[in-house]
Every structure is written in C-alpha cells, then in structure tokens.
Amino acid sequence: FPGKETTQILIAATGDSCRLVRIRAAATLAGYPELSLNDAEKGSVKAATREYLDSMLSRPDQWNSHYNLGNYYLVRGELEQAISSYKKALSMEPRAVLAMVNEAICYGRMGDTENAHEALKRAFKIDRGSAVVNFNLALMKAQTNDLQAAEEHLRTALKANPQMAEAAYNLCVILSKDRIDEAVDFCQKAVEIRPDVPKYAYTLAFYLKQKGDLSESSEVLERLLATYPFYVDAYLLLGEAYEKQGKRAEAVNAYYRGLSIDSMPQQYRVQMKLRLEAMRRDDR
C-alpha cells in the first residue's frame, strides 16, 4: 500500500489539468479500492477513473482493450466483471493466452477450481512452453497434491523464464521433502533473482538449517535482518541456529533483539522467553 504522502499526491493528481496525468494517477489508485476519501476527493478520483476506463475502451474493436479492462477489475477484486471482460477479449482473439490465465486466476479466487483448470488447459494447448501458464498450472497441481506434475510445470516455467523467482521458490518447497540439496539450490536462485523479497531469504535459511548448514543459515538470517529488521520470523530461527552451533551469546543476543521488536507476535515472544529460560537453567 502506498504511503500517506504518496497517496495524497496521487489523489491530487487525479484533478490535474493534464489528462494523461489524471489517467495515470487513476490507473495507480485502481489497485487500492479501500482508500479513505472525502467528498471532493471521491469526485476527483471517480472522474479520473472514468477517463481511465474510457481510454482503455477507446478501441472497443481490439481484444486487448477488453483484456486491459479485465485486468483493472482483477486488481480491484471485482472478479465477475473481470471474467466478463476476459471472455469478451477471448471472443475476439481465441488464442489470447494471458486472458485465459487471468480468467483462471479469477475463477481460482472465487473457489471455482473446475473452471480455473479448464481455462489453464486451454491456454496450455495453445502455448505448452509458456512460463506463466506452466507456473499457474503448477500451483493448481500442488493444491491437489499432484506434486510430480507441479514439479514438471515449475521446471518448464523456469526454463522458459530463468528470472521467474516464484517458480524457483516453489520448486524449493516441493523438493525440500526428499531432495534438500536441490531445494536449497533453487531457493538460493530465488534469493539471487529477488533479494528484495525477504520470504525467500528466510526460507533459504530455514532449509539450510534443516540441511545442517547452520553457519550459512545464520549468515543468511543476519543479512536478512540487517535489511529487514522487522521481519519478525527470522529472530527465533536465528537464535535456534546459533544454539545448535553452541554459540550461546549470539543466541541470547538474537532472542533479545527479537523481544525488543514491538510487533513481535505473542507466540514467538513466548518461545524466545522459554529458550532464554532454558539456557539460564543450563548455566546454573
């Protein structure tokens, strides 16, 4: 969600004298439908949004106009309207794979797995090597516990798009059950592609710890916390990794650092206090 200052700038931009500025501001705000606006702001955003929608449909004879409108509704969570727009796009261009994928995403969010799967199967028949099609098929297969098929689709997705960090991350999770070395390699790849996603680094540290690479696990976590000090999950894992290495002072420090975070969940807070108490008992 944009910061308060950025939000106010965008809202103000919806009343700009330049139409392009108004449209771009409305396009950005479309992803944040729960904004708290006063009456004047509501009027300005509504008018700019109408201009934005009109600009998308300035060529109603082109399939991508309806595809883009579907994306607008998808971002806003208006799923039935999004599906209607994607179907309109597909009636004009039956081979529009991305419209099929996004249609499937809508059905998936609505809990309609049958129609979601059908949309993805149609897309797969058209483009069997598509990264986005294979990635979404993999997620669906994983939901039904068909992990072998999910793995195959993820590998195809990553081959088609070697920069798809999500595919590498999901491969890590699937492979971790019985191929921990390969899982760690894929998670490392995800971290290298997207170092700005702390979940990937945390997961890498988690599986390194499971693998027994405790020193490397703690190093990954220290780097993660240096950049994201409020990633609260990492403190407990870091303390445990230090404990297993026999680094009691470092473990105590990690737990106290975690306890100093106001947003630390209560269950983590309790676990860290228990670990500290256990270490104090061992010292007696």
Side-chain angles (χ1 to χ4, degrees):
F1 201 90
K4 184 176 180 180
E5 183 178 353
T6 301
T7 301
Q8 288 304 314
I9 291 172
L10 288 168
I11 292 170
T14 62
D16 196 271
S17 60
C18 176
R19 183 171 181 270
L20 181 59
V21 172
R22 296 195 300 271
I23 288 174
R24 288 185 173 175
T28 302
L29 290 171
Y32 308 100
E34 302 300 325
L35 291 173
S36 179
L37 305 172
N38 60 40
D39 290 342
E41 291 170 340
K42 286 179 182 177
S44 180
V45 171
K46 183 177 180 180
T49 299
R50 174 44 42 195
E51 287 185 299
Y52 172 49
L53 295 177
D54 287 345
S55 72
M56 279 195 288
L57 290 176
S58 60
R59 293 296 304 274
D61 57 323
Q62 295 185 345
W63 72 268
N64 57 332
S65 296
H66 300 279
Y67 168 72
N68 289 331
L69 182 61
N71 292 344
Y72 166 81
Y73 287 127
L74 174 57
V75 166
R76 292 181 61 81
E78 299 174 25
L79 302 177
E80 291 184 0
Q81 296 94 319
I83 289 172
S84 178
S85 294
Y86 293 136
K87 287 189 180 298
K88 179 68 174 178
L90 288 165
S91 71
M92 303 171 75
E93 176 45 81
R95 297 180 63 82
V97 166
L98 290 180
M100 296 176 196
V101 170
N102 286 2
E103 181 186 9
I105 290 171
C106 291
Y107 280 125
R109 292 183 183 177
M110 295 167 69
D112 187 346
T113 54
E114 183 177 350
N115 275 317
H117 197 196
E118 284 301 316
L120 288 175
K121 286 197 295 185
R122 294 198 310 272
F124 188 65
K125 286 181 181 178
I126 294 170
D127 190 354
R128 299 178 69 86
S130 166
V132 67
V133 172
N134 277 281
F135 178 74
N136 282 279
L137 273 171
L139 297 185
M140 184 158 291
K141 294 297 183 181
Q143 286 177 352
T144 60
N145 209 35
D146 187 352
L147 299 184
Q148 182 177 345
E151 179 186 339
E152 291 172 0
H153 283 300
L154 286 170
R155 288 184 184 276
T156 301
L158 197 57
K159 182 178 179 180
N161 179 6
Q163 294 302 304
M164 184 177 272
E166 305 97 318
Y169 171 77
N170 280 277
L171 271 169
C172 164
V173 174
I174 288 175
L175 297 176
S176 66
K177 295 174 176 60
D178 55 9
R179 285 164 283 175
I180 190 68
D181 289 345
E182 195 175 4
V184 166
D185 288 342
F186 277 115
C187 205
Q188 181 66 60
K189 182 176 180 64
V191 172
E192 290 170 359
I193 298 169
R194 292 294 306 274
D196 58 319
V197 180
K199 177 178 72 171
Y200 296 164
Y202 174 83
T203 304
L204 173 61
F206 178 84
Y207 288 124
L208 282 168
K209 178 173 173 284
Q210 277 202 346
K211 185 182 172 185
D213 293 341
L214 299 171
S215 178
E216 190 174 351
S217 175
S218 55
E219 287 173 8
V220 170
L221 289 167
E222 288 287 13
R223 289 195 298 269
L224 168 63
L225 289 170
T227 306
Y228 300 97
F230 296 104
Y231 197 81
V232 295
D233 301 53
Y235 289 98
L236 183 61
L237 186 63
L238 178 60
E240 291 172 348
Y242 278 138
E243 280 195 72
K244 286 184 177 295
Q245 294 174 75
K247 297 182 177 180
R248 298 170 67 82
E250 289 86 345
V252 168
N253 178 264
Y255 293 139
Y256 275 119
R257 283 156 58 194
L259 289 170
S260 71
I261 304 294
D262 291 338
S263 58
M264 180 65 64
Q266 184 61 24
Q267 69 267 28
Y268 289 171
R269 203 173 283 278
V270 169
Q271 289 182 66
M272 285 188 278
K273 287 180 178 179
L274 288 173
R275 292 307 312 152
L276 287 166
E277 179 57 32
M279 283 191 285
R280 279 195 290 268
R281 285 199 303 269
D282 291 342
D283 289 338
R284 290 171 189 164

